[in-house]
Amino acid sequence: MAEEVLRVGDGEHPVLALHGWFGSGAAWRPLWPHLDGDRFSYVFPDYRGYGARRDEPGEHTIAEAAADVLALADRLGFDRFSLVGHSMGGSVMQRVLADAPDRVRALVGVSPVPASGVPFDDDGWALFAGAAEDPGNRRAIIDLTTGNRLSGVWLDAMVRHSLENSDRRAFAEYLPAWARTDFHAEIEGSPVPVKVIAGEHDPALGAETLRATFAAWYPNCEVEVFGNAGHYAMDETPVALATAVEGFLGAH
């Protein structure tokens, strides 16, 4: 994993923040001014095919991404750490837990993909599968998952970030990785503290879905619904997200 990984803070509690399908390590930037670097050491890695690792080859699987996260933690000297995962990153953080349960202090999912994947109907799959080649599909997905209510300027900026920070082939291959990978039997019953955050305007990974998955599998799980947010709480409600993440992690 690239040594130039983005970092915020040098506190005693290490936190690895894992980005989503449309993101990169840098997609967390709206959150950075609101983070407590005295208590926490945040790291914002890229997966293979994204950001600083855009040209790095890989298989583009959830297992590979999780193995890279663990390798980075080793390199940074993080014996035990917490994980924050947005969207696809929610699947990756749970794979890390499955692979190294004794090293994970706590999990926070932000509109996270469950360890069972995400079901699609035919039209939905066509929309998402076409996003690798068609920026219009990317824009439509971001608009849909934030409730068709946000500025076109913001939507265009999100699409631009996605195009500039992901390899097209890698982006395409990560779709079945997060949507069709099911390892929930490996994490079901884990006692790790878990908090999952649902945006009230997210039609796909909202509170109902998170309660039927995360809350059903993890006995120490809490679900919080964010008002005025859809799928991208780090952009839509960054102060509230930082407060919720650190309030939870600080207790563990």
Side-chain angles (χ1 to χ4, degrees):
M1 187 166 292
E3 292 291 346
E4 64 271 22
V5 64
L6 301 170
R7 300 188 65 164
V8 172
D10 56 4
E12 293 184 356
H13 188 154
V15 182
L16 294 117
L18 310 178
H19 65 79
W21 192 41
F22 283 100
S24 72
W28 294 96
R29 284 186 188 277
L31 204 63
W32 293 358
H34 316 299
L35 297 175
D36 186 346
D38 293 329
R39 287 196 297 157
F40 301 95
S41 291
Y42 289 96
V43 179
F44 302 90
D46 295 305
Y47 311 128
R48 300 186 193 209
Y50 280 85
R53 307 177 75 199
R54 179 170 177 169
D55 297 328
E56 185 174 338
E59 297 177 358
H60 310 126
T61 64
I62 298 302
E64 178 185 73
D68 282 351
V69 170
L70 284 167
L72 176 62
D74 289 343
R75 191 154 60 248
L76 296 174
F78 294 168
D79 180 42
R80 293 190 74 237
F81 48 84
S82 294
L83 294 157
V84 178
H86 173 245
S87 196
M88 178 173 77
S91 179
V92 178
M93 75 175 183
Q94 293 176 90
R95 185 67 254 173
V96 174
L97 173 68
D99 293 340
D102 293 339
R103 299 185 65 179
V104 178
R105 292 175 61 163
L107 300 178
V108 178
V110 183
S111 300
V113 169
S116 56
V118 178
F120 280 87
D121 61 24
D122 290 345
D123 288 343
W125 186 258
L127 176 65
F128 277 67
E133 298 295 333
D134 189 346
N137 284 38
R138 300 193 194 204
R139 192 181 195 276
I141 291 165
I142 297 166
D143 195 18
L144 172 69
T145 57
T146 51
N148 304 112
R149 67 187 226 291
L150 298 179
S151 158
V153 174
W154 178 79
L155 293 173
D156 291 340
M158 292 290 283
V159 172
R160 188 162 56 250
H161 182 95
S162 176
L163 293 170
E164 293 175 352
N165 286 277
S166 63
D167 172 78
R168 190 174 300 175
R169 177 181 172 186
F171 182 88
E173 291 178 350
Y174 278 116
L175 173 59
W178 62 259
R180 293 179 170 171
T181 297
D182 184 353
F183 58 95
H184 80 276
E186 296 181 57
I187 53 81
E188 190 168 5
S190 169
V192 68
V194 179
K195 181 182 182 74
V196 287
I197 294 166
E200 68 168 332
H201 298 290
D202 186 348
L205 293 169
E208 183 178 350
T209 296
L210 300 188
R211 291 188 181 110
T213 52
F214 285 86
W217 302 332
Y218 295 101
N220 296 314
C221 179
E222 62 181 66
V223 179
E224 182 173 355
V225 179
F226 269 24
N228 201 35
H231 192 69
Y232 296 90
M234 70 283 292
D235 286 273
E236 298 169 86
T237 53
V239 178
L241 181 60
T243 303
V245 167
E246 296 189 336
F248 184 77
L249 294 182
H252 303 285

